[in-house]
Amino acid sequence: MLKQEDYKQHISGRFNSELESLRNNMLGMGGKVEQQLLNALDALMSKDSGEAEGVVSLDKEVNQMEMAIDDECATIIARRQPTASDLRLVIAIIKVNTDLERIGDEASRVASLTLRLAEDGVSPSNFVEVRHIGNRVAGMLREALDAFARLDVSQAIEVVKSDQTVDKEYASAMRSLVTFMMQDHRKIGAILNEMWALRSLERIGDHACNIAEQVVYLVQGLDVRHGRLAELDIETLDRR
Amino acid sequence: MLKQEDYKQHISGRFNSELESLRNNMLGMGGKVEQQLLNALDALMSKDSGEAEGVVSLDKEVNQMEMAIDDECATIIARRQPTASDLRLVIAIIKVNTDLERIGDEASRVASLTLRLAEDGVSPSNFVEVRHIGNRVAGMLREALDAFARLDVSQAIEVVKSDQTVDKEYASAMRSLVTFMMQDHRKIGAILNEMWALRSLERIGDHACNIAEQVVYLVQGLDVRHGRLAELDIETLDRR
């Protein structure tokens, strides 16, 4: 297992201010995307179309970051020919980079729903579920990035567990929105907007989960995607 | 520019039955995912829950393929330390692999809607839009994989163009489904299912588009994601 201390020592050694810079750029992009999500939720709750437009326009910056990080990864592989844990770091970052960019896309989608509120009105649920699930997935994203920064497998496992809760809450929220729709079909447009927002948030939870799974791959060299984390003995994994 | 002939010559040369095998495995996974999508559409149209279950269970196999291909990519980078176009091929495959796996997920989602038909009934549109958009995105996926196999930039560009049409058709289909909902709110559950299917298909179009963009990166070393293909002079690009 790659301990945080060994890792830091290695990083401070010969070859890699480059790896350190790559890692920092990825975490920086993570911070930007997290902010995009929080602003998107805030814009939707406060019906602030100016803030929503800000989130949508931030997406260009995030896309640029994604391309720059991929480029940096390719350059490091070509020039430095990393192996073992260094290579795992680069590959994990290529994967996380894709997830972060897609979280940015989903955050933009949530923000752009704010711009439709004037037209369709506010959902009768008053976004209770969006607020709740939104806060939860924003927390998951923060935890996943933090686990990546600190190479903390236990924290990564917690993120994966949270996703199961989000999936349940999402299903229950959708059912109650369908009920609202049946009761008052003049509100259909507004409720659909809330459903789209929830769908985006649920996807953001999945992406945060993917990031957490990359932490396990990075630290332990284990591919735990597609529910394989649940099959493993989590306690054992944690102590490896 | 990397011509198909040069590429084949290279492949047949010293170092890489390994690269060739990686590429074939990726294309094989592409074929599997394409079949998953076609079966999912067929299951939905013919209300065949057995076929739908088949699609969902195929997803495990696709997930296994994704992990095996990622593993193969990491091994090739570590052992062979590829550079230039070989490295681009490996990186493009890492990216395409993620998109293919997510197409498989979306196809499973479409299939699983079939299993809800008994409960919610059939949408009053009788899946006209799902059929139409489904066939179009299945075509895009086939073209994108074919462009990858033949390193055909023109074909890749056609896929990206098709995605713009899909986005328009998707928006228009959603509007007409909202109208159906307002007219007959007893059909809300059924129409929502059709909406979810359309959403999944629209995403599959996006993923096919991502695959096509990787063909341009692979052949020309240009990153054309995030609408940058439209900014470039496509005719020039095609003749490079």
Side-chain angles (χ1 to χ4, degrees):
Chain A
M1 174 172 168
L2 188 64
K3 290 252 185 277
Q4 198 179 355
E5 298 68 41
D6 306 344
Y7 186 78
K8 278 196 174 151
Q9 198 168 19
H10 174 85
I11 283 281
S12 68
R14 183 173 52 87
F15 121 55
N16 261 314
S17 66
E18 278 178 32
L19 276 186
E20 183 65 26
S21 146
L22 173 62
R23 191 171 150 275
N24 287 338
N25 289 343
M26 187 280 276
L27 291 170
M29 175 170 166
K32 181 80 76 181
V33 166
E34 189 191 332
Q35 198 54 56
Q36 223 187 337
L37 171 58
L38 293 172
N39 292 353
L41 289 169
D42 190 61
L44 194 61
M45 299 308 157
S46 56
K47 306 173 191 63
D48 180 340
S49 61
E51 189 172 18
E53 279 161 8
V55 173
V56 175
S57 70
L58 205 60
D59 207 40
K60 274 194 185 160
E61 206 178 315
V62 169
N63 291 344
Q64 290 297 332
M65 286 172 130
E66 186 204 12
M67 294 198 286
I69 287 171
D70 270 346
D71 217 39
E72 221 178 324
C73 289
T75 306
I76 287 179
I77 293 176
R79 286 206 202 134
R80 298 296 190 165
Q81 311 190 323
T83 54
S85 68
D86 293 335
L87 179 57
R88 284 212 302 275
L89 176 63
V90 179
I91 291 180
I93 289 178
I94 294 178
K95 295 280 177 186
V96 170
N97 196 26
T98 304
D99 283 301
L100 287 176
E101 189 271 330
R102 290 184 186 165
I103 292 175
D105 279 351
E106 299 293 352
S108 290
R109 283 195 184 98
V110 172
S112 65
L113 293 171
T114 309
L115 308 172
R116 288 205 226 151
L117 288 179
E119 207 172 313
D120 297 324
V122 175
S123 167
S125 83
N126 214 10
F127 297 126
V128 172
E129 273 91 0
V130 168
R131 190 189 304 263
H132 175 69
I133 295 180
N135 286 336
R136 198 185 277 278
V137 298
M140 282 171 67
L141 173 59
R142 191 168 46 246
E143 298 271 306
L145 290 168
D146 198 43
F148 200 104
R150 302 193 296 112
L151 298 171
D152 186 335
V153 171
S154 323
Q155 195 175 12
I157 292 171
E158 287 306 313
V159 174
V160 178
K161 283 187 194 161
S162 303
D163 197 43
Q164 294 158 7
T165 314
V166 167
D167 288 349
K168 275 180 209 147
E169 289 175 346
Y170 167 76
S172 142
M174 292 304 256
R175 277 190 302 270
S176 77
L177 288 174
V178 172
T179 310
F180 274 125
M181 259 188 186
M182 308 254 186
Q183 283 163 356
D184 183 357
H185 59 282
R186 288 163 308 175
K187 298 275 188 185
I188 283 175
I191 295 170
L192 273 174
N193 284 340
E194 181 161 9
M195 285 181 164
W196 297 133
L198 284 172
R199 182 79 155 190
S200 286
L201 294 173
E202 187 265 337
R203 290 297 170 87
I204 290 175
D206 290 344
H207 289 297
C209 201
N210 293 344
I211 295 171
E213 287 166 351
Q214 289 300 322
V215 176
V216 181
Y217 166 74
L218 176 56
V219 178
Q220 307 197 318
L222 282 178
D223 192 337
V224 293
R225 291 177 290 181
H226 307 307
R228 287 177 70 205
L229 196 57
E231 289 166 23
L232 295 169
D233 180 344
I234 286 184
E235 299 306 316
T236 318
L237 187 69
D238 201 15
R239 269 186 276 109
R240 262 172 62 137
Chain B
M1 175 174 167
L2 187 65
K3 292 248 185 280
Q4 196 178 356
E5 298 70 38
D6 305 345
Y7 186 79
K8 278 198 174 149
Q9 199 168 16
H10 174 84
I11 284 279
S12 68
R14 182 173 50 88
F15 121 56
N16 260 315
S17 65
E18 278 178 32
L19 275 187
E20 182 66 26
S21 146
L22 172 62
R23 188 170 152 275
N24 287 339
N25 289 342
M26 188 279 277
L27 291 169
M29 175 171 166
K32 181 80 74 178
V33 166
E34 188 190 333
Q35 198 53 56
Q36 222 186 339
L37 170 58
L38 293 172
N39 292 353
L41 290 168
D42 190 62
L44 193 61
M45 300 308 158
S46 56
K47 307 173 190 64
D48 180 340
S49 61
E51 189 171 19
E53 278 161 10
V55 173
V56 175
S57 71
L58 205 60
D59 208 39
K60 275 195 185 161
E61 204 178 318
V62 169
N63 292 344
Q64 290 297 332
M65 285 172 130
E66 185 204 13
M67 295 198 284
I69 288 171
D70 270 346
D71 215 40
E72 221 178 324
C73 289
T75 305
I76 288 178
I77 293 176
R79 287 207 201 134
R80 297 295 190 166
Q81 312 190 325
T83 55
S85 67
D86 292 337
L87 179 56
R88 284 212 302 276
L89 176 62
V90 179
I91 290 179
I93 288 178
I94 293 177
K95 295 280 179 187
V96 170
N97 196 26
T98 304
D99 283 301
L100 287 176
E101 189 273 330
R102 290 183 186 166
I103 292 175
D105 279 350
E106 298 293 352
S108 289
R109 283 194 184 98
V110 172
S112 65
L113 293 170
T114 309
L115 308 174
R116 288 205 226 150
L117 288 180
E119 208 172 313
D120 297 324
V122 176
S123 168
S125 84
N126 212 9
F127 297 127
V128 172
E129 273 92 358
V130 168
R131 190 188 304 262
H132 175 70
I133 295 180
N135 285 336
R136 198 185 278 278
V137 299
M140 282 172 66
L141 173 59
R142 191 168 45 247
E143 298 271 306
L145 290 168
D146 197 44
F148 200 104
R150 302 194 296 112
L151 298 171
D152 186 335
V153 172
S154 323
Q155 195 176 15
I157 291 171
E158 287 306 313
V159 173
V160 177
K161 283 187 194 161
S162 304
D163 196 43
Q164 293 158 8
T165 314
V166 168
D167 288 348
K168 275 180 208 148
E169 289 174 346
Y170 168 75
S172 142
M174 291 304 255
R175 277 191 302 271
S176 77
L177 288 174
V178 172
T179 310
F180 274 124
M181 259 186 187
M182 308 252 186
Q183 284 163 356
D184 184 356
H185 60 281
R186 287 163 308 175
K187 297 275 188 186
I188 283 175
I191 296 171
L192 273 174
N193 284 340
E194 181 160 10
M195 285 181 164
W196 298 133
L198 283 172
R199 181 78 155 192
S200 285
L201 294 173
E202 187 265 337
R203 289 298 170 86
I204 290 175
D206 289 344
H207 288 296
C209 201
N210 293 345
I211 295 171
E213 287 167 353
Q214 289 300 322
V215 176
V216 181
Y217 166 74
L218 176 57
V219 178
Q220 306 197 320
L222 282 177
D223 192 337
V224 293
R225 290 177 291 180
H226 307 307
R228 288 177 70 205
L229 196 58
E231 288 165 24
L232 295 169
D233 181 343
I234 286 183
E235 299 306 316
T236 317
L237 187 69
D238 200 16
R239 269 186 275 106
R240 263 172 63 137

